[in-house]
Amino acid sequence: MQLRHVESFLAVVEEGQFARAASRLFLSPPAVTGHVRQLERELGAPLLHRSPVSLTEAGARFLPHAQAMVTAANAASAAVKDLHGARDTVIRVGVMTPGAAELTPAILRAFCRAQPRTRLTVESLGFTDFLSAVLEHRVDVAFVRPAPDDERVITDTLTVEPRILLTLATDDLAHADGVRLDDVLDLRFVRFPETTPRLLSDYGSFAAARNGMDPHWGVGQATSAQDLMTSIAAGWGVAGTLQSLGRYYRSPGTCAVPVVDAPWEASALVSRRDDLRPEIRAFRDLAVALARDPGLSRLRPPVPPER
């Protein structure tokens, strides 16, 4: 699907005529007509009634997505406008699985399309180094969860999500529609290495609800999402995480159960506060623009309820 075809469709919808849309786009009317027909062929449905011009049912459904595509492309272009003509550069991107879930690859794709001369490399981050990798200059930006509060980095929140409990599929709680914090705090939790930032171990064991009491740790130890899922499937403990990990990164033998009264938590993009390179600012701006775009709501969980 080509962006110029989508732009022609939107112009016809907004102008109400193919001729006026063509004039606005500095194209011929046959060219605009061809763009819309090609789009309809790709989607397999007519998008517009021709006389007079109006949206079909398929066109009405496609419209917000078309607007989101153009908005995202414009945001990408604006985010990197200062980089045109710059020398080839590299941004090292760290991802603590699954980062901001579906938003992570969407942001990477959009930035590569918008700025092909800036090369992205991706490095997997574990539970112990998701922040130190940024501070030690091993990566330039990182998709992490939960959002850190550290004056040495800039934290851009990308999603705010409900909490879930990851548990063995044969556990009593596994198939409940939802559980409460009182149901889970006395369970055994998968242990993290001693070098894990306190932020993450507290997050994984619902420490905020414990009134200072330590969790019951299981025999397993996890340094990555893969380790975590393997430990849970082995029956070595449970873990608290964000809703999207349960959807995006599941293992056989495990279940994700909503924790209905747990405060929602964020995933974020972090970068060094003293890194003032324009390509880093451009990457951050694009990530935030896509995360906030209402047309891309399918990539994000719902808004948290008011308490």
Side-chain angles (χ1 to χ4, degrees), residues 57-135:
E57 182 179 357
R61 291 189 179 188
F62 178 66
L63 180 61
H65 300 288
Q67 292 167 330
M69 289 173 63
V70 173
T71 297
N74 290 339
S77 178
V80 299
K81 65 182 179 181
D82 293 334
L83 302 181
H84 292 305
R87 61 181 176 83
D88 290 350
T89 56
V90 177
I91 297 178
R92 299 164 299 169
V93 181
V95 180
M96 179 186 167
T97 303
E102 292 89 345
L103 269 172
T104 302
I107 290 166
L108 298 179
R109 286 195 303 268
F111 189 86
C112 287
R113 286 196 301 267
Q115 185 52 38
R117 292 190 63 182
T118 300
R119 185 165 62 92
L120 300 181
T121 64
V122 177
E123 178 177 336
S124 178
L125 302 179
F127 294 159
T128 62
D129 66 349
F130 67 95
L131 189 55
S132 62
V134 177
L135 296 174

Side-chain angles (χ1 to χ4, degrees), residues 136-157:
E136 295 171 2
H137 293 247
R138 287 188 280 120
V139 298
D140 302 307
V141 296
F143 292 91
V144 304
R145 50 174 62 201
D149 181 13
D150 189 308
E151 63 182 12
R152 296 170 294 177
V153 298
I154 296 173
T155 300
D156 294 304
T157 298

Side-chain angles (χ1 to χ4, degrees), residues 90-92 140 272 274-282:
V90 177
I91 297 178
R92 299 164 299 169
D140 302 307
R272 290 182 297 279
D274 61 359
D275 191 343
L276 304 180
R277 290 176 292 167
E279 57 266 30
I280 300 300
R281 181 54 191 258

